[in-house]
């Protein structure tokens, strides 16, 4: 038997979910794993068609910087892997021309800026969150992205590291780094200690106030991250789930 208190809780949750899914002008689409995902493509198409009146002139900027954090591979090989990753995600099915950009090389900064400014959709791939965060801040391209997304006519889609960067801080990356997969990155927790110890460099893009995102979320690592101080809200993003706001 369901009591009145339970009914109220269920109604409140239902209304909250309803309002969330009926966002008339969403600006975020986050998912956990950068793999072929029909749920992601379905929602991406739905949001793009809903958000933009004319989809014929849209352009996408795909930030691949986080993927350069993988170790034991040349930058040429990593770039080839980025192309394969984008193809495996079936992004071509969106029928929107895209440009791969990277801010970890000074030679690419001008291209990065131009592509971001000329694109209505920004996609950030997964990889090494610390590497991505370091180079975005070092190049000051983080501010460029933030200013771009203040415009309601822009859309940010991201997975894994790109999703973590969306939050107020990048603390979830520290928790995920403790798992066995951490050895695939050449950057460890001691990377650029002077940079990482500064509180301002631990901040993400803060696209949603007082909120952090944790992809690949499980009950175990969620408990760990909740032990961190000053955490106001952690959004757990399990595999095969998406977040729309």
């Amino acid at each position: 038997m369901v009591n009145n208190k339970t009914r109220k809780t269920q109604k409140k949750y239902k209304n909250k979910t309803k309002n969330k899914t009926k966002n008339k002008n969403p600006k975020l689409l986050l998912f956990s794993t950068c793999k072929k995902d029909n749920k992601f493509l379905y929602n991406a198409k739905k949001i793009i068609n809903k958000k933009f009146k004319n989809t014929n002139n849209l352009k996408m900027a795909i930030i691949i910087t986080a993927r350069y954090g993988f170790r034991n591979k040349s930058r040429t090989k990593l770039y080839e892997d980025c192309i394969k990753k984008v193809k495996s995600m079936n992004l071509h099915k969106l029928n929107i021309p895209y440009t791969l950009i990277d801010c970890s090389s000074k030679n690419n900064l001008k291209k990065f800026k131009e592509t971001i400014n000329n694109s209505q959709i920004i996609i950030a791939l997964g990889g090494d969150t610390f590497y991505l965060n370091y180079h975005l801040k070092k190049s000051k391209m983080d501010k460029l992205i933030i200013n771009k997304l203040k415009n309601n006519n822009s859309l940010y889609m991201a997975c894994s590291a790109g999703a973590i960067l969306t939050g107020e801080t990048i603390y979830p990356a520290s928790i995920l780094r403790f798992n066995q997969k951490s050895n695939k990155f050449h950057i460890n927790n001691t990377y650029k200690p002077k940079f990482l110890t500064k509180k301002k460099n631990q901040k993400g893009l803060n696209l949603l106030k007082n909120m952090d995102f944790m992809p690949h979320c499980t009950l175990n690592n969620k408990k760990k991250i909740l032990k961190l101080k000053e955490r106001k809200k952690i959004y757990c993003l399990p595999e095969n789930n998406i977040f729309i706001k």
Side-chain angles (χ1 to χ4, degrees):
M1 183 175 180
V2 181
N3 57 37
N4 291 333
K5 186 176 181 180
T6 303
R7 287 195 185 94
K8 289 181 180 179
T9 302
Q10 291 175 342
K11 185 177 181 181
K12 182 179 180 181
Y13 176 78
K14 184 177 180 181
N15 289 336
K16 184 178 179 181
T17 305
K18 186 177 180 181
N19 291 335
K20 181 179 175 180
T21 56
K22 284 198 171 184
N23 189 342
K24 293 182 179 180
N25 194 10
K27 65 177 182 180
L28 294 177
L29 172 55
L30 309 179
F31 51 113
S32 191
T33 305
C34 308
K35 293 181 180 179
K36 178 182 176 182
D37 190 332
N38 291 327
K39 183 186 292 186
F40 161 71
L41 285 173
Y42 170 79
N43 283 279
K45 287 180 180 179
K46 190 175 180 179
I47 290 174
I48 290 170
N49 290 330
K50 184 178 182 180
K51 186 177 183 70
F52 302 103
K53 293 181 179 179
N54 184 3
T55 60
N56 295 325
N57 298 320
L58 294 179
K59 292 181 180 179
M60 289 195 303
I62 302 180
I63 303 173
I64 60 176
T65 303
R67 299 198 64 79
Y68 281 104
F70 289 98
R71 67 178 186 176
N72 300 327
K73 289 185 179 182
S74 65
R75 288 185 67 88
T76 301
K77 177 61 177 174
L78 288 169
Y79 183 75
E80 292 174 354
D81 290 346
C82 288
I83 295 175
K84 291 179 182 178
K85 172 58 67 175
V86 172
K87 287 183 178 179
S88 71
M89 293 169 66
N90 285 336
L91 292 177
H92 63 279
K93 290 187 177 182
L94 294 175
N95 296 318
I96 299 173
Y98 59 79
T99 303
L100 305 185
I101 53 176
D102 167 45
C103 63
S104 63
S105 172
K106 291 182 179 180
N107 295 331
N108 288 326
L109 294 184
K110 184 177 180 181
K111 179 182 178 182
F112 191 112
K113 184 176 181 179
E114 291 175 351
T115 305
I116 291 293
N117 285 331
N118 294 328
S119 300
Q120 296 76 32
I121 301 171
I122 300 172
I123 299 180
L125 298 185
D128 193 321
T129 310
F130 296 112
Y131 189 88
L132 173 61
N133 183 57
Y134 173 78
H135 285 289
L136 279 177
K137 284 184 166 55
K138 184 180 178 181
S139 62
K140 297 183 180 180
M141 290 300 172
D142 57 331
K143 295 180 180 179
L144 178 67
I145 295 173
I146 292 171
N147 289 332
K148 178 71 176 180
L149 293 171
K150 284 181 180 179
N151 181 348
N152 288 330
N153 292 323
S154 298
L155 176 64
Y156 180 87
M157 301 192 291
C159 58
S160 197
I164 292 176
L165 197 72
T166 308
E168 182 183 18
T169 75
I170 61 169
Y171 287 138
S174 299
I175 299 301
L176 293 172
R177 187 54 62 90
F178 289 121
N179 64 29
Q180 294 180 354
K181 294 181 180 180
S182 63
N183 59 8
K184 66 183 178 181
F185 300 120
H186 65 67
I187 299 172
N188 55 37
N189 288 327
T190 61
Y191 176 72
K192 302 289 183 182
K194 290 183 180 180
F195 175 84
L196 289 175
T197 52
K198 294 180 180 180
K199 197 167 184 178
K200 67 177 183 178
N201 293 331
Q202 298 167 9
K203 293 182 179 180
L205 297 177
N206 199 20
L207 300 181
L208 289 178
K209 303 296 181 182
N210 303 325
M211 192 171 184
D212 284 347
F213 290 91
M214 187 170 186
H216 320 296
C217 186
T218 64
L219 182 61
N220 184 46
N221 55 27
K222 186 178 182 182
K223 285 182 178 179
K224 286 182 180 179
I225 199 168
L226 290 176
K227 291 180 181 179
L228 292 171
K229 295 181 180 179
E230 300 179 0
R231 297 294 83 233
K232 296 181 180 179
K233 189 173 182 181
I234 305 294
Y235 187 89
C236 180
L237 192 60
E239 303 293 350
N240 302 319
N241 276 29
I242 60 173
F243 175 90
I244 301 172
K245 185 66 174 178

